[in-house]
Amino acid sequence: MGEIEGRVFASELDKNLIGKKVSIAGWVEDIRPLGSLIFLTVRDVSGFAQSVFVKGNTPPDVFASVKSIARQSAIVIHGTAKESKAKDVRVEIQADGMEILSSATHPLPIDPTGRVGSSLELRLDARALDLRNPSIAALFKIRHVALQSARKSLIEEKFIEVNTPKIIGQAAEGGATLFPLSYFGKKAFLAQSPQLYKEQLTLSLDRVFEISGYFRAEKSHTRRHLNEFISVDIESAFSNKEDVMKVLERLVKNAIEGVLEKCKNELGALNMRLRSPDIPFDRITYSDAVEELKRSSSRIDFGDDLDTKALRKLSKKHSGFYFIVDWPTTLKPFYVETKEGNSDLSESFDLMYGYLELASGGTRVSDKARLEKRLLDSGLDLRSFSSHLEVFSWGMPPHAGWGLGLDRFMMVLTGMKNIREVVLYPRDRFRLSP
Ligand code: AMO
């Protein structure tokens, strides 16, 4: 079957079409027989449409079959658009034909109308069907618009979109645990981030960005960690932390404004009240955060990481978007530059939303000898970094960048509390399918 002639989407059925021949393709939501009339509502990706089959106006075999179509079957309805007498429908279809394209087999694993609720686990097992529920589909339409706005924002700031390898030979970057794999008999790993590549690319392409999936073999099973996540990464030549923090603020604001402009219905379906944030975002230093926590009787010292409990405490005072800057050098990877005159502190930042860490970044070490020292201080083997270090002899510009966890950012845009809600097919320690 090819394209359906005269196909309109449910949301396009308006007064301009009255009297015109139209077809609607979608999935059967409801069937209500009323004597010589049958009302059939069909859902497509854009919304609902009501059709009316009148005995006598519809071929008898079609009329007889309408009543018994299994709900959620894929059908196409042909007819004429006309004004509706129903309260909540303005224009409906006076049907004169109907084809069942694919019958749904009952019982279905979940009810995609959402009238009968299902657990997240069951919904994820039947994700493709789950997405017929408009408030679930809304999450991914918002995600689409946020991605579009993020790309637009970076392209306008002269960043070039790149694609770096996701299969890597060395578990080089440190920090996270990686997934090993066999690569033609050699040991390889799935990339945890594009860090080293994006830094290298600044010496020729100047400003680069990448939006891609990354892999961390972390065992933590929380509502904000996945083993495969999407990161929006940038790296910018001739820039420092301050410059790239501004790029991040503008991206966040543009993405939110894009969603506010283009996703009114979707935000409505989620009961989500989103507002454009003021920039610049507030900032606190790591040291201030530690002092604040000490005052609220937390047992924490300079150099300790801010764990979930500490971040939750901090978020009581700092709501919305804010930066935690100037982290201890020991808590940041080797490629992050230290502060001039105080090597205990780094030129780094995390973007927070309440207790949720959304992004991290900083000014990078661009001097080869200093990078070698940082690697050694971090207990890493210089030989594993030889090809990366070589690049630093070819005119490496000062540079800075960040990585923004897209899935976590989507939690903020949609109000979802579990990262699995905003990812189509999440991968966690216990879920590898579908
Ligand atoms: P980091 O490891 O902090 O930094 O990751 C950056 C952002 O990615 C998101 N993120 C995750 N989201 C879901 N599940 C996970 N397991 C997960 N791990 C990370 C978070 C986090 O803030 N190379 C640096 C970035 C840079 O300096 O440019 C890096 O990867 O939102």
Side-chain angles (χ1 to χ4, degrees):
M1 180 176 189
E3 244 177 54
I4 298 160
E5 213 182 300
R7 181 182 178 195
V8 294
F9 285 94
S11 62
E12 293 166 346
L13 259 189
D14 63 13
K15 293 229 152 90
N16 298 329
L17 288 175
I18 287 178
K20 300 227 164 73
K21 284 290 229 184
V22 291
S23 299
I24 287 259
W27 300 274
V28 178
E29 185 102 349
D30 255 327
I31 306 165
R32 281 172 293 127
L34 231 85
S36 59
L37 300 178
I38 306 171
F39 292 94
L40 185 153
T41 46
V42 64
R43 172 176 293 289
D44 67 17
V45 70
S46 72
F48 266 127
Q50 174 164 284
S51 60
V52 192
F53 293 80
V54 183
K55 202 172 187 170
N57 284 3
T58 320
D61 56 326
V62 173
F63 191 83
S65 66
V66 170
K67 276 188 216 171
S68 54
I69 310 173
R71 280 171 179 70
Q72 299 301 329
S73 298
I75 64 165
V76 53
I77 297 168
H78 308 285
T80 307
K82 64 159 212 172
E83 201 157 346
S84 171
K85 292 193 186 95
K87 254 194 284 162
D88 45 353
V89 182
R90 282 212 219 128
V91 178
E92 63 190 17
I93 301 177
Q94 181 92 56
D96 53 34
M98 187 274 303
E99 294 154 66
I100 302 173
L101 305 179
S102 170
S103 287
T105 309
H106 286 248
L108 293 167
I110 56 168
D111 172 16
T113 67
R115 280 173 218 150
V116 183
S118 297
S119 68
L120 179 59
E121 286 300 301
L122 276 180
R123 286 178 33 224
L124 290 176
D125 286 343
R127 192 51 143 167
L129 184 59
D130 185 39
L131 287 161
R132 269 191 211 155
N133 181 330
S135 56
I136 310 294
L139 299 170
F140 295 93
K141 292 180 192 166
I142 292 173
R143 190 175 167 117
H144 161 71
V145 169
L147 263 173
Q148 220 179 12
S149 308
R151 273 207 168 84
K152 184 163 175 275
S153 184
L154 292 172
I155 291 167
E156 278 172 3
E157 304 211 23
K158 298 195 170 57
F159 284 84
I160 294 175
E161 183 160 11
V162 297
N163 305 104
T164 62
K166 303 303 158 231
I167 301 178
I168 52 171
Q170 299 279 354
E173 202 181 313
T177 323
L178 301 197
F179 287 108
L181 63 107
S182 166
Y183 190 74
F184 303 112
K186 281 194 197 133
K187 195 162 189 184
F189 300 90
L190 293 178
Q192 72 180 84
S193 97
Q195 186 63 37
L196 306 189
Y197 295 107
K198 65 177 181 168
E199 284 194 54
Q200 294 184 12
L201 293 173
T202 62
L203 74 70
S204 44
L205 299 179
D206 201 297
R207 292 176 198 189
V208 293
F209 80 96
E210 178 162 17
I211 303 176
S212 180
Y214 296 98
F215 309 90
R216 309 232 173 146
E218 292 152 358
K219 294 222 168 95
S220 41
H221 193 72
T222 77
R223 298 202 298 176
R224 60 182 199 286
H225 285 95
L226 288 176
N227 297 101
E228 177 177 0
F229 67 98
I230 303 292
S231 176
V232 180
D233 272 89
I234 74 153
E235 204 62 34
S236 181
F238 311 108
S239 303
N240 63 20
K241 131 175 170 270
E242 299 297 322
D243 302 317
V244 295
M245 284 167 82
K246 289 188 190 123
V247 176
L248 182 53
E249 287 172 332
R250 289 191 288 264
L251 178 143
V252 166
K253 191 169 173 74
N254 287 336
I256 291 178
E257 288 180 355
V259 168
L260 284 169
E261 186 197 326
K262 294 186 184 151
C263 300
K264 288 196 182 70
N265 292 343
E266 288 74 19
L267 291 169
L270 296 171
N271 272 328
M272 180 64 195
R273 296 248 293 265
L274 194 64
R275 71 169 195 91
S276 176
D278 295 328
I279 55 174
F281 299 148
D282 285 345
R283 290 173 181 213
I284 54 166
T285 63
Y286 165 89
S287 304
D288 287 345
V290 168
E291 287 312 311
E292 255 179 49
L293 289 166
K294 275 186 174 159
R295 280 199 295 277
S296 66
S297 73
S298 293
R299 287 180 57 190
I300 184 163
D301 286 312
F302 182 91
D304 292 345
D305 206 353
L306 305 181
D307 60 13
T308 312
K309 206 169 143 205
L311 291 172
R312 280 196 187 274
K313 241 182 202 175
L314 273 184
S315 71
K316 288 202 176 121
K317 191 166 156 208
H318 307 276
S319 55
F321 296 101
Y322 64 101
F323 285 110
I324 304 179
V325 299
D326 303 349
W327 289 75
T329 305
T330 48
L331 290 180
K332 288 292 171 184
F334 65 88
Y335 49 79
V336 178
E337 188 52 283
T338 53
K339 280 205 157 308
E340 218 174 298
N342 184 357
S343 61
D344 289 342
L345 290 178
S346 62
E347 290 284 359
S348 58
F349 61 86
D350 280 7
L351 174 66
M352 307 296 299
Y353 185 85
Y355 80 97
L356 193 63
E357 177 203 313
L358 296 180
S360 62
T363 306
R364 319 301 192 183
V365 180
S366 53
D367 176 75
K368 188 176 178 181
R370 288 181 39 66
L371 189 59
E372 282 174 348
K373 181 167 182 320
R374 287 296 306 280
L375 281 163
L376 291 172
D377 288 350
S378 310
L380 292 162
D381 183 354
L382 290 191
R383 280 172 305 183
S384 312
F385 291 86
S386 54
S387 74
H388 182 59
L389 284 165
E390 193 186 4
V391 174
F392 283 67
S393 309
W394 300 338
M396 178 58 94
H399 58 283
W402 44 253
L404 165 71
L406 180 73
D407 313 302
R408 289 193 185 170
F409 186 39
M410 289 312 304
M411 292 169 74
V412 175
L413 297 185
T414 59
M416 290 293 123
K417 298 280 178 273
N418 190 329
I419 196 166
R420 292 159 187 77
E421 291 276 5
V422 296
V423 173
L424 283 173
Y425 298 100
R427 291 288 175 258
D428 64 31
R429 214 168 119 205
F430 306 105
R431 181 173 285 280
L432 191 50
S433 160

